[in-house]
Amino acid sequence: MNFMELAKERYSVRAFKSTPVEQEKIDKILEAAKIAPTAKNSQTQMIYVIKSPEALEKINSVCKCIYGAPLVFAIGYKSDETFGVAEDRVYGFGEIDSTIVTTHMMLEAWEQGIGSCWVGLFHDAEVHEVLGLPENIRITSLMPMGYAADDCKPADRHTMYRPDEEMVEYL
C-alpha cells in the first residue's frame, strides 16, 4: 500500500481485542519512532511501553480513553534537553518533536495491522504519579494500541474533510 492509501485507511481504534501485540511489531513501531525527524536531530523523545497488567491498571486509573488496549505508549520528551531557540523567537520543540514521533508510530502500527488512538485527554501530573516518571519528562500523548475488535469501525466523520479553500491559501 502506498502512503496516501495508508493515511486514508488508518482510523482511531476505540475498541481492542485482548490479544497481545507481538514484540517484533512493537520493535518496528519503536524503530519508526527512532527515525522520526526532530529539531536539530536532538531526539529528546521518551517513550514508555505500558503492557504489564500492573502498568495497564495504573494508566487506566488516570485515563478513561485506553479502550481496553493491551498496549499503551506514553510518548513525551525530556524538557531539559529539548532544542528551544530559533532566530528571534523561542520555541519549545519538545512537543513538536514528540508529536512527529507519535505520528510515525501510529502509521507504522497501522502498517503492521495494529490499531491505535491518539489520546490527549489526561492530566500529566497524574500520569507522572502512577508511572513514577522523572520530573524532566513531559508526556504529550498516550497511544493505546492493539488489534481492533471485530466490530470496530471508523467514526462517521473519519472521511469528512474541510474544503481546500478553508485550509489552503496560495501566496
Side-chain angles (χ1 to χ4, degrees), residues 116-138:
S116 66
C117 186
W118 190 311
V119 175
L121 186 61
F122 60 89
H123 294 285
D124 189 52
E126 292 176 350
V127 171
H128 269 76
E129 184 179 335
V130 299
L131 297 180
L133 303 182
E135 277 186 41
N136 70 323
I137 301 298
R138 299 291 172 266

Side-chain angles (χ1 to χ4, degrees), residues 33-48 74-85 91-102 105 134-140:
K34 184 178 8 179
I35 65 170
T38 58
K40 293 183 76 174
N41 200 29
S42 58
Q43 301 176 26
T44 64
Q45 67 265 23
M46 194 64 205
I47 303 162
Y48 297 91
I75 305 154
Y77 65 96
K78 299 172 187 171
S79 63
D80 56 340
E81 295 181 22
T82 189
F83 177 66
V85 179
Y91 293 90
F93 282 100
E95 285 190 32
I96 295 166
D97 291 345
S98 62
T99 298
I100 295 167
V101 166
T102 303
M105 294 173 72
E135 277 186 41
N136 70 323
I137 301 298
R138 299 291 172 266
I139 298 299
T140 54

Side-chain angles (χ1 to χ4, degrees), residues 50-60 130-131:
I50 303 168
K51 66 179 199 171
S52 73
E54 299 81 20
L56 287 167
E57 184 178 329
K58 287 178 182 180
I59 202 65
N60 272 289
V130 299
L131 297 180

Side-chain angles (χ1 to χ4, degrees), residues 13-18 66-70 115-117 144-149 152:
V13 172
R14 293 183 178 93
F16 295 93
K17 295 179 180 177
S18 61
I66 303 304
Y67 307 112
S116 66
C117 186
M145 287 194 182
Y147 293 97
C152 190

